[in-house]
Amino acid sequence: MTESIQDRIEELRRLIEVHNQRYYIEAAPEISDLEFDRLMLELRELERRHPELVSPSSPTQRVGGGPIDGFRSVPHPVPMLSIENTYSEGEVREFDGRIRRLLEGETPRYIVEQKIDGVSASLRYDHGLFSLGLTRGDGVRGDDITHNLRTVRDIPLRLGGPGPVPPVLEVRGEVYMTHSELSRLNRLQAEAGERVFANCRNATAGSLKLLDPRQSSRRNLRFFAHSEGCLEGLEPSSHAAFLDMVRGCGIPVVPHSRVYDSIDGVLAWCANALEEREGLDYETDGMVIKIDSFAQRERLGATSRSPRWLIALKVELWQAETRVLDIRVQVGKTGTLTPVAELQTVEIAGTRVSRVSLHNADEIARKDVRIGDHVVVEKAGKIIPHVVRVELEKRTGAERPYLFPSACPVCQGEVGRDEGGVYIRCLNPSCPAQLKERVRFLASRKALDIEGLGPALIDQLVDQGLVSALTDIYSLEARQLEGLDRMGEKSAQNLIEAIGKSKGRGLARVLGGLGIRHIGEGNARLLANEFGEIRGLMEATEERLAAIPGIGPVVAESVYRFFRSRAGVEIVRELERHGVDLTTGSGAARLEEHEEFRDRTFVVTGTLSRYSRSETETLIRKLGGKTTSAVSRKTDFVVAGRDPGSKLEKARALGVRVLDEEEFERMAGLSGAPAPGEAAGGRD
Ligand SMILES: [Zn+2]
């Protein structure tokens, strides 16, 4: 009888650990929460009736004893050293250089992991049972926080897994809190009138310092293991193998670790991972780069402060606190209403920041940014400044939630959510705010490149009614301009000349500047080259448009709708009336067979900025040329984009004519500039 009860208790404990692991570590629960609770309930009941069978490793004992009196300081069997931090690629390359010298020519193998911004801890398992949890402390001794770590759901109290249980397993890692848990906790803290936490790390540290495990169990802390302490009965040969063993025992390990044989691979992965850190539910503050092989680690050794075989590449987080003075919406060229926080000017990393985009209404709600709030603004790397969080503890009650306008703030026109449902747009096609943005876009360098027609001037032109439609810029006269701010006779004359000159930029630049949805520089060129002049494009069916290489159905629909709209037809008529060149230019206008291309063989290599490789090949064939993939003596031209690789070398070795992107476009008549004779000259 007792034996079968003991068996059932053991089975329940095992099942609960397994399902816990499925839930927390694999994020793939197999049973419902209700079923899980039933297992727990049954176990609790059996243990209540048979107290002699209760063991500290039972999942019912996570919140085992009562509060403790204070923290016991315990020595680490292996010291917990710190990591050297770097902030630049250059420093990581220096690290690689040092490693290579010390390894005397042997190739280092690196493993890269996310650097979780939590609180370091070490977990010790004796014969598979969680026996001791310590903080890092000064690295030599740490505080005993076993009672609190037992409440961390993804730390198993008993190791699972198929293999034999090692006599001693000590892992080091980070205890952390997710962003969603932090917001939940802060909401509760605020409601209870208690202090809220500034960030995930502070909340984690605060929770681990609690004396009462019942309190810390409500904090939903999590854990990731990232390195080894004292090991007995386990002899992994590499870090990757060690992580596999730990994972196999049921302990979560840092996600997304990758192994590389070169520092270039390491740095590329770091750049990628650091860019994506904003999308994670936990905080990371960089990447950790380690030597994977334990034999190599041994040879590299340690300095007194930190091991020589690892380094952290930290993101330089430039943060500053400031206040939100107001929230306003800006209207973009397609009518998008973008909320912008006006800030008390603050200096971050040498730049003055006085406004940051809040992106959209959902984002304001998610971060709960209110007018009057103290906020932390961050500028990380090349990313533009953004609001990280609101300092909730500084709220006085005087802050006002922002109400998103129900009409366009500029023209009072109707607004609506777009298809995706995230952005709100002004639906009025003659909205002056949209008009200003569209004129700016048309006049910009990549489009019609009208020198002197800048934002301040455009504002005046629209506000004073001199420009009330995009094409009105071509009706402007010098004397109308002379009355404007900072506009003399000479500058007015210059501007009129610049506007006049812009009429000759050609169809691609006009198309790219009209602000048709999905039509940027590249698509505009494809369309211009396909049709050669505007009328053919206007008359094309949606199917015809979608069949053009590089133009998909979405772009085709957008173009088709634009040229079927009254506004679109009107714009074209006005442009024609003012004599704007709506063709692909003189000499090399149409994509007809080209003398220089006929029966010539081309190889395209590397990355081109305006077309994909296959689009470029299609263009070449349309112009009468042939394309192949390998360079040989029969190749007439190699078109080389960025990072061209071995084909370029081969072309040079064989004396094949190499064209860069610009030369190729000139030769094909794709650029606005006339094709100079030498570029179309053929073989050397
Ligand atoms: Zn509007």
Side-chain angles (χ1 to χ4, degrees):
M1 179 64 191
T2 321
E3 199 160 317
S4 72
I5 286 174
Q6 184 157 14
D7 287 348
R8 179 60 184 160
I9 285 180
E10 282 302 318
E11 190 187 4
L12 285 168
R13 288 175 183 166
R14 197 183 51 77
L15 279 172
I16 289 167
E17 287 287 3
V18 164
H19 289 301
N20 217 16
Q21 190 177 339
R22 296 263 190 287
Y23 185 89
Y24 283 107
I25 302 176
E26 293 153 29
E30 282 174 354
I31 59 172
S32 69
D33 289 358
L34 186 68
E35 286 170 284
F36 184 83
D37 291 343
R38 279 206 191 112
L39 295 176
M40 271 306 254
L41 207 66
E42 185 186 347
L43 179 60
R44 276 218 177 86
E45 184 55 26
L46 287 176
E47 287 181 351
R48 196 185 57 80
R49 278 192 269 145
H50 302 274
E52 73 282 4
L53 296 179
V54 175
S55 113
S57 70
S58 170
T60 58
Q61 302 303 303
R62 283 198 176 268
V63 187
I68 59 166
D69 299 330
F71 294 101
R72 189 167 63 101
S73 165
V74 178
H76 291 290
V78 180
M80 284 178 85
L81 295 179
S82 60
I83 307 183
E84 194 191 327
N85 287 328
T86 62
Y87 290 91
S88 71
E89 254 191 57
E91 288 172 284
V92 174
R93 289 193 187 277
E94 281 168 27
F95 162 76
D96 177 55
R98 267 194 317 273
I99 295 271
R100 285 173 183 277
R101 273 194 302 282
L102 289 165
L103 290 180
E104 293 164 345
E106 202 177 303
T107 304
R109 197 172 164 80
Y110 294 110
I111 185 159
V112 193
E113 297 162 352
Q114 286 174 340
K115 189 170 186 307
I116 313 291
D117 194 15
V119 174
S120 302
S122 126
L123 316 178
R124 182 181 167 108
Y125 289 84
D126 283 290
H127 299 284
L129 297 183
F130 178 46
S131 55
L132 184 64
L134 299 178
T135 62
R136 182 172 174 279
D138 61 5
V140 180
R141 301 179 73 88
D143 284 341
D144 181 351
I145 48 166
T146 314
H147 65 296
N148 285 334
L149 290 180
R150 288 176 62 89
T151 70
V152 177
R153 284 305 175 129
D154 51 6
I155 293 179
L157 297 178
R158 178 159 49 167
L159 297 181
V165 172
V168 177
L169 170 65
E170 191 200 342
V171 298
R172 273 90 189 257
E174 294 294 297
V175 185
Y176 68 97
M177 186 180 281
T178 60
H179 291 301
S180 29
E181 176 62 14
L182 178 70
S183 1
R184 191 194 67 91
L185 176 63
N186 274 345
R187 235 181 356 257
L188 293 178
Q189 294 281 108
E191 277 167 22
E194 288 184 43
R195 81 183 179 100
V196 294
F197 296 99
N199 55 46
C200 297
R201 179 158 31 86
N202 289 4
T204 307
S207 307
L208 289 177
K209 276 191 207 125
L210 292 167
L211 295 172
D212 186 349
R214 275 168 306 189
Q215 280 190 320
S216 39
S217 76
R218 285 183 222 117
R219 298 287 175 86
N220 290 320
L221 296 174
R222 308 288 298 266
F223 180 81
F224 280 134
H226 57 53
S227 41
E228 73 291 342
C230 184
L231 300 182
E232 278 175 31
L234 282 179
E235 281 173 15
S237 62
S238 70
H239 189 64
F242 166 74
L243 292 180
D244 279 343
M245 285 174 186
V246 171
R247 203 186 287 113
C249 287
I251 303 173
V253 301
V254 272
H256 311 304
S257 59
R258 293 226 183 167
V259 175
Y260 291 95
D261 283 330
S262 80
I263 204 69
D264 292 326
V266 168
L267 287 169
W269 173 239
C270 286
N272 182 304
L274 292 177
E275 231 159 71
E276 283 171 11
R277 56 182 278 282
E278 260 214 79
L280 301 171
D281 195 25
Y282 48 88
E283 196 72 45
T284 67
D285 60 351
M287 302 297 285
V288 182
I289 302 156
K290 301 172 176 176
I291 287 290
D292 188 38
S293 148
F294 284 180
Q296 286 186 340
R297 285 186 184 183
E298 190 120 335
R299 289 172 52 196
L300 292 164
T303 67
S304 60
R305 283 183 50 248
S306 49
R308 286 201 187 88
W309 45 263
L310 90 169
I311 203 163
L313 173 59
K314 292 190 73 173
V315 261
E316 199 136 18
L317 289 182
W318 301 99
Q319 294 191 337
E321 194 191 304
T322 184
R323 270 189 77 213
V324 176
L325 303 176
D326 201 358
I327 297 177
R328 293 195 190 139
V329 293
Q330 277 182 352
V331 185
K333 69 179 188 299
T334 55
T336 314
L337 269 52
T338 305
V340 174
E342 307 278 345
L343 305 173
Q344 208 157 50
T345 303
V346 65
E347 199 173 297
I348 309 178
T351 46
R352 289 161 69 80
V353 179
S354 53
R355 44 208 332 247
V356 290
S357 171
L358 296 171
H359 305 296
N360 54 59
D362 294 358
E363 185 73 2
I364 296 181
R366 192 172 74 80
K367 289 188 174 149
D368 191 18
V369 180
R370 302 179 187 179
I371 298 164
D373 263 337
H374 287 262
V375 290
V376 173
V377 177
E378 176 183 292
K379 189 177 183 302
K382 9 174 208 182
I383 302 160
I384 48 174
H386 65 280
V387 170
V388 183
R389 63 170 183 274
V390 172
E391 297 283 53
L392 293 173
E393 74 275 17
K394 295 206 170 155
R395 283 217 171 135
T396 62
E399 297 78 14
R400 284 180 294 124
Y402 178 68
L403 291 177
F404 216 86
S406 52
C408 172
V410 176
C411 71
Q412 316 311 320
E414 196 191 336
V415 297
R417 283 208 172 227
D418 69 1
E419 312 96 89
V422 178
Y423 294 99
I424 295 172
R425 282 175 212 281
C426 167
L427 303 173
N428 171 12
S430 50
C431 170
Q434 291 182 49
L435 179 60
K436 287 175 185 175
E437 285 303 310
R438 291 173 63 207
V439 175
R440 259 170 232 178
F441 193 65
L442 185 68
S444 68
R445 182 140 338 138
K446 282 185 173 176
L448 294 189
D449 193 13
I450 305 176
E451 212 183 310
L453 189 52
L457 184 57
I458 293 170
D459 284 352
Q460 293 186 67
L461 292 173
V462 173
D463 292 343
Q464 304 207 5
L466 293 172
V467 169
S468 54
L470 190 60
T471 48
D472 285 353
I473 53 169
Y474 288 114
S475 307
L476 291 170
E477 290 167 25
R479 57 172 179 79
Q480 293 177 305
L481 300 174
E482 279 168 33
L484 302 175
D485 278 358
R486 282 187 275 170
M487 190 53 82
E489 194 181 335
K490 182 76 185 130
S491 42
Q493 198 50 52
N494 288 345
L495 181 63
I496 295 296
E497 266 169 40
I499 292 174
K501 236 193 272 174
S502 77
K503 293 179 182 176
R505 307 259 188 251
L507 180 58
R509 304 267 293 263
V510 177
L511 277 180
L514 289 179
I516 306 170
R517 276 182 94 182
H518 307 298
I519 304 299
E521 214 186 335
N523 284 338
R525 278 166 180 271
L526 284 177
L527 292 170
N529 293 330
E530 181 71 20
F531 295 96
E533 45 78 41
I534 194 92
R535 287 287 152 188
L537 172 60
M538 288 181 80
E539 285 153 20
T541 62
E542 222 176 306
E543 293 71 34
R544 165 86 175 85
L545 291 166
I548 299 167
I551 301 285
V554 178
V555 179
E557 194 203 338
S558 167
V559 174
Y560 181 81
R561 279 172 56 173
F562 178 82
F563 287 116
R564 290 298 183 287
S565 71
R566 256 201 9 232
V569 171
E570 176 70 18
I571 283 174
V572 174
R573 201 170 52 215
E574 284 298 301
L575 290 171
E576 283 177 333
R577 189 170 72 82
H578 288 290
V580 176
D581 179 9
L582 298 176
T583 71
T584 37
S586 43
R590 306 289 299 265
L591 271 188
E592 284 161 356
E593 285 206 2
H594 238 276
E595 197 53 46
E596 291 81 16
F597 281 74
R598 195 165 302 141
D599 298 325
R600 294 278 168 78
T601 304
F602 288 74
V603 173
V604 183
T605 180
T607 314
L608 302 168
S609 59
R610 293 194 184 84
Y611 305 99
S612 74
R613 195 175 306 173
S614 69
E615 282 165 1
T616 310
E617 288 172 348
T618 307
L619 286 173
I620 290 168
R621 288 194 293 270
K622 282 191 167 176
L623 291 160
K626 289 183 282 193
T627 56
T628 59
S629 56
V631 178
S632 72
R633 288 188 188 283
K634 290 185 188 153
T635 310
D636 295 295
F637 294 99
V638 167
V639 181
R642 268 184 300 114
D643 306 323
S646 64
K647 287 182 190 174
L648 179 63
E649 285 162 30
K650 187 148 187 211
R652 293 221 168 104
L654 293 174
V656 174
R657 175 91 192 265
V658 176
L659 302 173
D660 67 19
E661 191 170 0
E662 208 175 305
E663 288 170 326
F664 168 73
E665 288 188 356
R666 244 182 285 147
M667 179 170 161
L670 297 181
S671 61
E678 73 273 14
R683 285 171 208 254
D684 284 341

